[in-house]
């Protein structure tokens, strides 16, 4: 049985990771998972938020947002509504936590890195694309900071790599990397964030239509782990390219 | 090895579920998981939000909030700050999704039930206590609506029961129902929402210090499922009592 | 002629003042005036707001709020609406002024006490119940601060006691401590805050239906003063009990 | 003993009531109590707020505000801060209630009158000047509505007149109509709103420094009633003038 | 062909500039352009915003606002809506820029002057009246600051004078100083701010109905320059009067 | 004398206009003026805002925003601050007015087109690039609406073309299409919006350092008109290409 877009159940969409997409940001990536496109920038500033001053430790945080016409019908801007919605808050927090999982705060020193993930076009899986792309922008930003001697030599602030993918059960079949049309029809929907060594940073599974059984959970986790593995390879490849700025 | 409060790893705190705590609400519960106390009310109104009108289907939603001094140091009120924080949004959405998982919208008809979960005292696990208590308030509200003939006879709007518990790994040991002090020290923290038949509604695991391995995830899920089972028994017991209002 | 709930015109509802209702707050009380229940906490922090720094004087302030289903029909949360309503502002200010009337700022030293009064269930008189309960929470918080040596020995920050009650004219008859149903039907409504020695801290009378004459004002003041006296006795009794925490 | 500005204790400041100060508003007044100047407009619109539709009854409401430099040091604009402060809310509500006390809603019909009271210069007593001026603007607006046949003939929407004044105890002496400098030093401060027949619409007394005794309250009420009487005469005089527009 | 109000195309409305309209502000003016009346105050404070500290330079900024019933139909207050509209922002920024164009920041020293321009009555041209009036209030405030020695002697913070006027094409005819009725019917609308020596500070032309040609632009600029000249004479006259405060 | 980036004074930066950049929007363009990149989408919806219903006329409006790291140092998101800044408001209004200048509302019928202009990277001239790009997106959206028969045949809603460019005086020399570094050093800065037939839609000139003389204004206008002409050619070229979607 093949999927809407002809993929097999365990197949990712075409994933591209373009670095150096901004002339201003210390790290920047345009990541695509099929038609989902997220623009990720990493901004480095010296110093940390007030509550962390004097700790000798750095901080990493993230903000996620959708352009109003990233989706099929235009949504109101959160700036115009005057407040950030729950979904935006939730995803921003998820991205921040995921990337902090591979940061050694001491090695980063009292520097702050903000990851901005702006969805230019949405077709399902925007949060997992954002995490996967933001990791690459973060890695570039840290290299930049090391080049500028903002970060002390001898200790690597990045303790590993991190990537993320969505999985779900559609029509009883576990699928990897859902596009929007699949996502809408999924009975169960899960976002999984893994480190490069195959361990879990976040597991967020939600029953959309029907509660799910332990075996279903297990097969979804299997799919997700292998998807994250593939993404980790693509991240490494992207970072191995020499970036001319 | 015993825990801070003398429990074994797989032991819940003392859980109490007091119904009928409000003279106004259609369903109301004061739920305690040890020192965590959440006041849950279920409010029934005829009609549904605009986007659902004419569908013949009902709606269930939730709002979670903490009193400013529910915690050890006083927090600012979100009403005073003029906006709702990300954590509040995230938990409100989780509670809503969890309870909608056991609702048959058609059977509910065009009625709306709002679950308000206000934390009077916090000691870890407020979101899982809220879900567990809100289920009981919801059940009472539905009975009330059936009594008032707001809900048609012959089809039960509740398709099952739902309860929730937190689990985590502290000092390498998987523990059930973390209190605040354990939660702060946890390497991994997971909230699990189950139906009464042992299937999953939500699984949210987060690596706080270290990414977690598949086996750790598995043992946390085992603990959580058995904890939710126990809570389902307590919910049933609470609902079996005749409530004099 | 007896009242809706069988009371005589000059009779209070059953008033209970339960101390120690929070394990976190320095002072805490659940106060009930009949079915009106307000949870009051007093939070002590060292230091004062910026405009008072270096003055050697302390500060006391209050925040009042209603849980959304404290009333017969659910009200929107002010945090969700993104702003505090006029009624909430007005009552918070009243509670703050009332309690500051019995505070010696110099004796308090540069400490701040915030009184949070959250209405769990409303049946008229929530602001007067809040003041009456908050006084007891405040007294406990000051004792705590004295025990911790935050407040210098030798000078008592509390210069007196304070309690409050509502009075009103219903069907031409002056009544003490109106319940909601009476309040709605009152021609004139007055909230009076007195010190334990029978003097006035606040007098707020409002003609709801008809302007009121000087004699009516006088009889309402008589009722209120005697009601506050009774409440002062109950406050003292509550504070005389040894609280085991 | 004479006052800061040479008045006797029972003497009003110079009060002027200039009608027709706006070419747009249906009623408009510039009222001065000494250096306190408030610009009051009354705006009539057909129709009533949603919750009152179909009742056949009208509505009157008020909004009070201070220009940023109405005071000795500039205050931030509430529009810039993005929220209305408690004091503004409280005074707007007081003005609205005071004027509604002399309105027959049925006679007004389904029309709404909004009273805007903007303080151009403040020197104490802004809320009482606002009520006194707004009454005159309201009377003009109602005449206008009668002229336009928006209000049915035969029944007068105004059931009486209303005026307001502040009183207070300064240095032990009860004083009428406090200017700012007196207000700051007052031990007790009271705002009283009376109808033209000498009955009370609002009595709001606050102990600023010391609780006040019943006799003090009584002498303040005496002063206020006679002050309101004088203001009622000035209101009548202003309204008797033929206004050329 | 004469205009609605009988003026010739190149004629200003009657302009009055009354100084000393506030007893609190360091400079204050009530400016009228026909029925447009704007109350301008200039408030001096020592110190500058954070981003300018230590520069030795001062700052001048402006806030524009309309009273709710300045216009023919009442508008909602921006403080009530909780946000400032685009038009208000735009005009506040224009006024600030216009007045900063004649300020020598070094000569002003680290002092801040805020210009508040509150429209009491609107009949077209409120922003240009505001600029013209604010200049006079600013000049008075600077004199005050020089008198108080806040500003060092020997160097004049004002480098010139500034005035503003609106021009537009109505029915094909270029007109000076549009009143509201003309403004509504204008095909092209332009606001011009000039210094006393006839140079431009701001030129803002907008096609309302039809794009405009270069010759039209030229004749509008001619009109505006001569109008600003006249206003500069009136400003000088107003400032030459001895102000008794 | 050549410019920072080697251009002559009357030379545009490299301008590219890529259509079809979004799979969801009815019209979409990525426009670049050198390093300034703006993503413009045009969203068509049937119906118009409430105040225009039943008029038979359509509506066009615009929203401008900068991604947080579009600039050299990261700026806070307006959604996070909870309000839109004055600059954003001003530019959104300018874009909307500019495009409405070439719309025949009757021919558009009761449809609304929203133009979203999100700056991905800023290097001066973002508002003029946005207008130039938004015109092309608008033209595509209107073609789409014609294809869908939302717009009646026989009457073209677009009455002309519109483009915009910035000009300024830097070091005494009038320059076309300023990059950021030039913009910062400009003595005078002007944004000009022209129709394809060389008439003006908007002229906004601002003295940044020194008031400007009439001759300077004239030479800036000359430059701008010829720049807009060139841009009109590029727009036409972009629209002549067949877009494969």
């Amino acid at each position: 049985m093949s999927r809407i877009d002809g993929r097999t159940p365990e197949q990712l969409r075409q994933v591209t990771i373009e670095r150096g997409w901004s002339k201003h940001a210390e790290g920047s990536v345009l990541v695509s998972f099929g038609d989902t496109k997220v623009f990720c920038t990493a901004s480095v500033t010296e110093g940390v938020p007030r509550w962390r001053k004097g700790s000798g430790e750095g901080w990493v945080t993230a903000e996620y947002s959708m352009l109003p016409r990233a989706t099929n019908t235009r949504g109101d801007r959160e700036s115009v509504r005057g407040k950030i919605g729950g979904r935006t808050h939730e995803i921003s927090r998820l991205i921040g936590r995921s990337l902090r999982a591979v940061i050694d705060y001491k090695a980063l020193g009292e520097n702050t890195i903000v990851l901005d993930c702006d969805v230019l076009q949405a077709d399902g899986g925007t949060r997992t694309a954002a995490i996967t792309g933001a990791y690459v922008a973060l890695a570039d930003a840290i290299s930049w900071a090391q080049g500028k001697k903002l970060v002390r030599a001898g200790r690597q602030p990045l303790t590993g790599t991190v990537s993320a993918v969505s999985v779900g059960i559609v029509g009883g079949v576990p699928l990897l990397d859902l596009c929007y049309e699949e996502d809408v029809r999924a009975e169960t929907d899960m976002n999984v964030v893994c480190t490069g060594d195959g361990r879990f940073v976040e597991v967020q599974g939600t029953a959309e239509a029907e509660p799910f059984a332990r075996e279903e959970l297990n097969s979804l986790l299997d799919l997700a782990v292998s998807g994250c593995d593939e993404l980790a390879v693509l991240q490494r490849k992207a970072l191995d390219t020499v970036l001319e700025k």
Side-chain angles (χ1 to χ4, degrees), chain A:
Chain A
M1 192 217 77
S2 96
R3 295 160 72 173
I4 293 161
D5 50 11
R7 285 185 285 155
T8 62
E10 63 280 357
Q11 199 180 341
L12 289 173
R13 288 178 284 181
Q14 187 178 355
V15 172
T16 62
I17 301 177
E18 298 174 48
R19 285 159 67 212
W21 229 71
S22 156
K23 78 168 212 179
H24 297 305
E26 286 73 36
S28 65
V29 159
L30 182 69
V31 62
S32 310
F33 278 36
D35 279 332
T36 288
K37 294 183 192 177
V38 186
F39 181 31
C40 309
T41 58
S43 300
V44 180
T45 48
E46 292 185 71
V48 282
R50 182 179 314 203
W51 51 272
R52 219 173 169 84
K53 273 188 185 148
S55 66
E57 303 195 337
W59 186 238
V60 171
T61 185
E63 292 186 6
Y64 166 97
S65 185
M66 284 241 203
L67 291 200
R69 194 55 198 279
T71 44
N72 194 41
T73 54
R74 185 179 184 274
D76 287 342
R77 284 177 195 270
E78 295 183 320
S79 59
V80 170
R81 274 192 281 137
K83 51 183 167 189
I84 289 179
R87 182 183 173 276
T88 298
H89 260 141
E90 200 170 300
I91 299 178
S92 294
R93 287 159 56 88
L94 170 65
I95 300 171
R97 279 199 312 271
S98 296
L99 291 161
R100 286 193 293 273
V102 292
I103 287 290
D104 175 338
Y105 296 133
K106 280 283 177 210
L108 182 56
E110 290 205 11
N111 297 293
T112 297
I113 302 180
V114 181
L115 297 155
D116 285 293
C117 300
D118 287 88
V119 180
L120 304 186
Q121 190 169 279
D123 187 29
T126 59
R127 78 190 70 186
T128 49
I131 292 166
T132 303
Y135 168 75
V136 176
L138 176 64
D140 270 338
I142 286 175
S143 299
W144 178 90
Q146 288 168 325
K148 291 281 179 194
K149 313 284 185 217
L150 285 178
V151 164
R152 270 165 312 172
R155 189 164 162 185
Q156 174 53 254
L158 272 180
T159 62
T161 76
V162 81
S163 60
V165 78
S166 77
V167 285
I169 299 176
V170 182
V173 184
L175 303 178
L176 180 67
D177 186 22
L178 310 187
C179 67
Y180 181 71
E181 224 176 308
E182 291 171 337
D183 188 58
V184 162
R185 292 163 40 203
E187 293 107 52
T188 292
D189 184 18
M190 183 147 53
N191 292 292
V192 177
V193 185
C194 287
T195 47
D197 60 6
R199 286 183 298 160
F200 298 101
V201 168
E202 284 273 341
V203 172
Q204 297 200 339
T206 299
E208 298 289 346
E210 243 333 73
F212 50 100
R214 185 70 173 264
E215 312 79 63
E216 291 174 306
L217 175 55
N218 283 336
S219 53
L220 288 173
L221 288 168
D222 292 342
L223 265 183
V225 167
S226 92
C228 283
D229 256 12
E230 274 189 73
L231 290 167
V233 172
L234 294 170
Q235 288 173 321
R236 214 169 313 127
K237 231 183 251 174
L239 283 166
D240 283 351
T241 317
V242 176
L243 185 67
E244 27 193 320
K245 215 178 172 174

